[in-house]
């Protein structure tokens, strides 16, 4: 039996946030394993939250991710309010949704234009893309800036907003300032619509997946800032507080990111899951654009996630405009949330997928334990399966294009691993 | 004259400070015309080797590998700027410095022996000389542009090291501590945010770290009078700049 080994090395995987290596082994035409190894320096958030005040997690956990801090702040607030037996509805909930729309617009625009589109167009980055198509990159920056404008007005700043607190907001912006913001969002809606049409024309590699899908569900609308249940593609919905009964994280020896499994199986959260499970709650405009872009009632090709992100961006701009039009400043801007002995669960839909927080707090207002399950931990098994399938279907490719395709397979997920360098090593052994 | 090269590196951090570069939407393409972005992984897969004229580093040193890597980065950089609270003070992850990192790891990981980490999270300047430290969790976009402009022009950045109060008064805000009795770290916190929190009727929580020569001893009784317990006062000084030492001296 003769073996021929192929060694592919990329010293740095770019346009993602994460540090890792990939090892793929192929024997007799079968991909035996594909490990995505993450070397993120651990920061031990769950440990350092113990003994902190119950009002602190929104500010502290925001620092897990500079790209989706609102997701962390919102899931944290949802969990702590749940532990304290307080439910937030009405104008405060709507203001949270508006803030979160800002993060969706900003994060999706960042990923579509600066991180993901260069893959489809053959550029190393958006700067090089701008040299040939400046107007396209400017459109992306306009969109991203509109999202940041929402974050800056409602949250105080785009990265680690200061206005979010357990129970609501420190201060509610006045109507006049929001009307001014609406003026900035109208051109952003045109830019978002053009974005869908632009990405719909990209060439998409074939990759059909069979991951189970998981997303927050809210009967009131396309779930963003929270929901009543968790929806899945292969089983009945379950309650938010049952999340940890269904999703279990385990440690693997080659990664500092824990791997999550849904009832023992591989699953996927994020744009594809949200679209497939909740698309009937999208706006008529977003649904029409999705149909024009060739999306059906489900989307299972991760390479097409860029189209779904563009659709969600249109929806988020529309939703922000709708929330601004009906806005009445909540008075007061927050609900008092007294500490009590209890356990709380909180979910929200970060741009990259479902983000779960669980806190156990004491009557003294101190945190006893904290559990945080980020989207990338949940998606890691799905990413590895995609890599296996991509490699298996493209063994005829040379080293460089095959490695490039592996990197793109990872970038489809917009992984948010908060890291810098990557080491992608692809070893293919064939007999 | 050759186009100056810019590099951006990241260690243990949240990506927020390097994202601030990309959040300069109005200036990004202009900046890209003035410098050659030679190494900025979050933004580009095109990577050129050093040396670099200006290097921005976000994140703290928490692993043996990063302690080695920062020495390499320093050797390849003419000007090295540490950006953000992780790089200038160790960040929120420096709370491990006051605890037991092995115990921390055992809370998060079933097999902490798989995790290679240092007992402390430390600032870049604890390992190599830095040319400038830009404060903030996260850094301020306008201050970042000033730093880049200054180093590209060969001058020192012109940034204040006074307290947040000076920005708050210039902005014409009512003092939340005096008027509302809201605990506020503004009097002892480094300027740079533009007095963001008081503008939202929130007390400053110190994300830019200590100002030069802060009078903490005078502020603490005011925080206690505003209703903070001794434990709460202890915690409010132990967040994103806990290990900077500037407030505890």
């Amino acid at each position: 039996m003769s073996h021929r080994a192929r060694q592919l090395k990329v010293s740095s995987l770019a346009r993602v946030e994460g540090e890792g290596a990939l090892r793929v082994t192929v024997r007799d035409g079968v991909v035996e394993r594909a490990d995505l190894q993450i070397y993120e320096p651990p920061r031990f958030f769950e440990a350092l939250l113990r003994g902190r005040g119950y009002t602190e997690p929104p500010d502290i956990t925001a620092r897990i991710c500079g790209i989706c801090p609102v997701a962390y702040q919102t899931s944290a607030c949802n969990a702590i309010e749940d532990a304290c037996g307080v439910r937030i509805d009405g104008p405060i909930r709507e203001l949270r949704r508006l803030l979160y729309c800002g993060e969706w617009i900003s994060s999706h625009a960042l990923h579509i234009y600066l991180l993901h589109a260069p893959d489809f167009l053959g550029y190393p980055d958006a700067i090089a893309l701008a040299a040939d198509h400046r107007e396209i990159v400017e459109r992306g920056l306009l969109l991203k800036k509109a999202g940041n404008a929402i974050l800056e007005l409602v949250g105080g700043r785009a990265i680690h907003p200061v206005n979010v607190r357990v129970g609501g907001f420190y201060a509610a912006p006045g109507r006049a300032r929001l009307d001014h913001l609406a003026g900035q969002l109208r051109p952003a809606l045109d830019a978002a619509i053009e974005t869908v049409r632009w990405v719909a024309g990209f060439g998409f590699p074939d990759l059909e997946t069979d991951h189970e899908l998981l997303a927050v569900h809210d009967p009131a609308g396309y779930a963003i800032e929270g929901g009543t249940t968790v929806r899945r593609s292969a089983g009945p919905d379950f309650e938010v507080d049952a999340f940890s009964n269904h999703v279990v994280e385990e440690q693997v020896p080659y990664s500092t990111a824990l791997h999550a499994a849904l009832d023992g199986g591989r699953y996927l959260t994020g744009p594809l899951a949200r679209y497939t499970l909740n698309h009937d709650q999208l706006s008529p405009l977003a649904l029409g654009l999705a149909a024009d872009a060739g999306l059906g009632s489900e989307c299972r090709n991760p390479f097409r996630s860029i189209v779904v992100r563009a659709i969600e961006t249109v929806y988020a701009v529309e939703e922000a405009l709708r929330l601004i039009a009906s806005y009445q400043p909540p008075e007061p801007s927050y609900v008092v949330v007294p500490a009590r002995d209890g356990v709380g669960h909180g979910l929200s839909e970060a741009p990259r997928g479902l983000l779960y927080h669980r806190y156990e707090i004491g009557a003294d207002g101190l945190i006893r334990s904290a559990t945080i399950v980020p989207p990338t931990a949940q998606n890691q098994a799905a990413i590895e399966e995609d890599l296996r399938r991509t490699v298996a279907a493209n063994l005829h490719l040379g080293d460089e294009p095959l490695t490039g395709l592996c990197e793109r397979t990872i970038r489809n997920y917009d992984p948010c691993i908060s890291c810098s360098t990557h080491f992608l090593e692809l070893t293919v052994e064939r007999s | 004259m050759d186009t100056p090269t810019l590099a951006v590196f990241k260690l243990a951090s949240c990506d927020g400070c390097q994202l601030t570069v990309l959040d300069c939407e109005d200036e990004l393409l202009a900046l890209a015309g003035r410098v050659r972005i030679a190494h900025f992984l979050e933004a580009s897969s095109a990577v050129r080797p050093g040396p670099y004229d200006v290097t921005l580093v976000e994140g703290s040193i928490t692993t043996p590998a990063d302690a080695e890597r920062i020495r390499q980065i320093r050797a390849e950089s003419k000007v090295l700027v540490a950006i953000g609270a992780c790089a200038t003070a160790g960040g929120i992850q420096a709370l491990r410095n006051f605890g037991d990192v092995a115990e921390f790891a055992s809370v998060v990981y079933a097999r902490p022996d798989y995790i290679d980490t240092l007992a402390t999270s430390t600032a870049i300047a604890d390992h190599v000389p830095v040319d400038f430290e830009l404060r903030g969790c996260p850094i301020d976009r306008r201050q970042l542009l000033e730093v880049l402009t200054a180093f590209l022009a060969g001058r020192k950045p012109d940034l204040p090291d006074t307290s947040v109060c000076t920005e708050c008064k210039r902005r014409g805000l009512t003092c939340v501590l005096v008027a509302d009795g809201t605990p506020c770290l503004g009097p002892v916190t480094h300027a740079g945010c533009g007095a963001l929190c008081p503008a939202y009727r929130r007390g400053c929580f110190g994300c830019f770290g200590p100002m030069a020569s802060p009078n903490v001893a005078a502020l603490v009784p005011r925080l206690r009078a505003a209703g903070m317990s001794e434990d709460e006062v202890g915690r409010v000084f132990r967040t994103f700049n806990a290990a900077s030492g500037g407030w505890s001296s």
Side-chain angles (χ1 to χ4, degrees), chain A residues 49-208:
Chain A
L49 281 162
R50 293 168 308 156
R52 301 297 303 205
Y54 77 112
T55 58
E56 293 190 274
D59 287 318
I60 292 178
T61 64
R63 271 67 183 181
I64 292 174
C65 177
I67 292 134
C68 49
V70 171
Y72 280 90
Q73 294 186 327
T74 308
S75 284
C77 287
N78 288 345
I80 293 157
E81 287 151 10
D82 181 49
C84 299
V86 173
R87 197 182 153 69
I88 303 290
D89 272 317
I92 292 176
R93 170 99 191 245
E94 296 203 334
L95 194 54
R96 272 187 184 164
R97 188 170 176 87
L98 175 61
L99 179 72
Y100 218 137
C101 284
E103 183 154 286
W104 270 33
I105 297 162
S106 181
S107 175
H108 277 353
L110 171 78
H111 190 257
I112 292 167
Y113 281 90
L114 299 183
L115 310 184
H116 208 193
D119 275 342
F120 292 94
L121 303 171
Y123 290 93
D125 53 51
I127 305 289
L129 174 61
D132 294 343
H133 303 284
R134 193 178 176 100
E135 72 292 349
I136 289 179
V137 176
E138 283 179 341
R139 184 177 67 206
L141 292 172
L142 177 145
L143 198 50
K144 184 167 157 302
K145 194 177 170 186
N148 280 350
I150 298 174
L151 294 167
E152 285 167 6
L153 176 56
V154 180
R157 61 185 169 197
I159 301 166
H160 308 328
V162 302
N163 195 25
V164 176
R165 61 180 294 168
V166 171
F169 293 88
Y170 286 91
R175 265 234 61 99
R177 293 181 70 197
L178 281 186
D179 289 339
H180 179 75
L181 183 64
Q184 191 173 349
L185 286 171
R186 286 185 197 101
L189 182 57
D190 294 335
I193 292 167
E194 287 164 20
T195 303
V196 176
R197 294 182 177 140
W198 177 57
V199 299
F202 291 174
F204 301 102
D206 284 329
L207 177 63
E208 281 304 302

Side-chain angles (χ1 to χ4, degrees), chain A residues 36 79 84 94 119 129 145 150 152 190 197 222 244 250 267 280 285 288 311 335 365 367 373 386-387 396 424:
Chain A
L36 173 61
C84 299
E94 296 203 334
D119 275 342
L129 174 61
K145 194 177 170 186
I150 298 174
E152 285 167 6
D190 294 335
R197 294 182 177 140
Y222 198 74
S244 51
E250 62 165 9
Y267 72 104
D280 56 343
L285 173 64
I311 297 288
V335 174
I367 294 166
V373 185
D386 288 4
L387 286 165
H396 58 281
L424 190 62

Side-chain angles (χ1 to χ4, degrees), chain B residues 34-55:
Chain B
R34 286 284 314 278
V35 301
R36 202 160 50 142
I37 297 173
H39 187 290
F40 185 2
L41 274 182
E42 191 185 10
S44 177
S45 49
V47 175
R48 296 183 189 86
Y52 309 111
D53 291 305
V54 178
T55 297

